[in-house]
Amino acid sequence: MSDNDKHVSQYATSATLTTRRGLYDTNVGVSLTDRLIEQLKLDMATSLLDVGCGYGADIATVIGRYPKLHCVGFDQSEAQINDAKIKTPSAIFFVADANNFQLDETFDRILVRHVLHLLPDPSAAIDNILRHCKPGGRVVFATHSTQSQPKFAAWRTWFKDKTGIGYSAHSDKLTLENNQDLFTKPGCKVEFIKAEETISLTDPEPYLAYIKGQKRWSREPSEIEMNELLEYVRNQIQTEIDEHGHFEDASINGIITLDHELAG
């Protein structure tokens, strides 16, 4: 299975994204969602496009706070778009590909949350996204960080040493720390922001559900191998909970803003 096929498989339905959000909902500190909404400056906007919207969680939150905002979202997963339509019927949702979408309207604000690293040509994608942003508008990107979830990285190393099964994270290819030159675009002002939170758990299950949803193994783990990994992680988390009353892992993301100062 190719890397793209793994991505399509992993996000073909809302299940994996829900477990990821479920883990991040345990974070202590200002949530990434709130940080993104703050950077979007929606009180000065009339329209929002969500590129790769998944099942529409961010648009649902935005419309809950800004009910008059014209919100449009798309994703390549038909199943997730169907869920988004049910979740927020007042918004417009449709199936499209972030690689090459073309719309007949432009937007004051565009949100691109954890999407760019999955695309074959992020620079071309940014150019296309900017073509859909009004002059004077703003695009807000969320990226991963190489410094995020160090305990999960250590568990993957343990698993590889034991089974030979590696883990290929697309997110490592485009992070807050690398490829910053991709965001240097004519007529745009760029800002890079480090968003730090802490995953805090009193129960191992949210992290275990997150791991179960991962599809980027170098080969598919057998049921025995996966159960062995989950049991190892469960013990690691539970030991920390027993000793300290809770388990913690760093959750770090990047927020990149592009202010579109000139017409494209």
Side-chain angles (χ1 to χ4, degrees):
M1 182 182 290
S2 70
D3 283 347
N4 185 65
D5 289 339
K6 289 179 182 179
H7 160 62
V8 172
S9 171
Q10 181 156 320
Y11 295 108
T13 70
S14 302
T16 298
L17 198 54
T18 299
T19 59
R20 293 178 72 91
R21 294 263 185 163
L23 176 62
Y24 299 142
D25 284 346
T26 69
N27 287 2
V28 175
V30 180
S31 71
L32 179 60
T33 298
D34 284 340
R35 290 176 186 269
L36 292 170
I37 290 174
E38 178 184 9
Q39 291 299 322
L40 284 165
K41 301 185 185 298
L42 294 174
D43 54 337
M44 298 183 286
T46 60
S47 59
L48 169 70
L49 173 65
D50 189 348
V51 176
C53 66
Y55 58 89
D58 289 327
I59 283 182
T61 301
V62 164
I63 286 185
R65 302 180 191 184
Y66 301 89
K68 295 183 179 180
L69 193 68
H70 171 58
C71 290
V72 176
F74 71 84
D75 196 274
Q76 68 174 353
S77 165
E78 183 175 1
Q80 292 213 62
I81 288 299
N82 289 338
D83 289 343
K85 290 177 179 178
I86 295 171
K87 188 178 187 69
T88 313
S90 61
I92 298 171
F93 295 102
F94 58 93
V95 177
D97 192 331
N99 290 292
N100 51 25
F101 72 96
Q102 296 294 332
L103 305 182
D104 293 331
E105 62 178 315
T106 55
F107 298 83
D108 298 315
R109 303 288 185 267
I110 300 179
L111 173 63
V112 190
R113 181 171 181 167
H114 293 153
V115 172
L116 277 184
H117 65 281
L118 299 168
L119 305 181
D121 189 345
S123 182
I126 294 171
D127 290 338
N128 188 36
I129 289 165
L130 285 169
R131 284 192 286 272
H132 291 83
C133 184
K134 292 179 180 178
R138 166 172 277 209
V139 184
V140 177
F141 300 89
T143 67
H144 295 280
S145 167
T146 56
Q147 301 171 19
S148 193
Q149 294 178 257
K151 292 179 181 177
F152 179 41
W155 299 333
R156 298 198 309 262
T157 298
W158 175 88
F159 191 52
K160 183 177 182 181
D161 289 343
K162 190 168 186 63
T163 65
I165 300 174
Y167 183 88
S168 175
H170 260 65
S171 56
D172 291 342
K173 297 178 180 179
L174 196 160
T175 70
L176 178 67
E177 294 82 13
N178 60 32
N179 293 303
Q180 292 191 354
D181 58 312
L182 290 177
F183 298 91
T184 302
K185 298 294 183 180
C188 292
K189 177 183 177 182
V190 63
E191 181 179 7
F192 299 91
I193 303 165
K194 186 176 183 180
E196 299 184 67
E197 301 173 73
T198 300
I199 297 168
S200 181
L201 301 176
T202 55
D203 184 333
E205 289 306 318
Y207 224 132
L208 298 178
Y210 171 86
I211 292 172
K212 289 177 189 176
Q214 302 305 308
K215 301 291 185 182
R216 299 197 175 281
W217 307 108
S218 57
R219 70 167 171 82
E220 186 70 21
S222 69
E223 182 177 352
I224 292 174
E225 289 168 331
M226 178 53 65
N227 286 339
E228 190 172 21
L229 172 61
L230 294 174
E231 186 62 23
Y232 176 79
V233 171
R234 185 192 306 275
N235 289 337
Q236 292 284 306
I237 294 175
Q238 191 61 54
T239 295
E240 189 169 326
I241 291 172
D242 293 342
E243 291 178 355
H244 305 288
H246 62 279
F247 165 87
E248 290 187 353
D249 200 4
S251 179
I252 302 173
N253 290 278
I255 298 175
I256 301 168
T257 63
L258 277 182
D259 289 315
H260 198 196
E261 298 177 332
L262 300 174

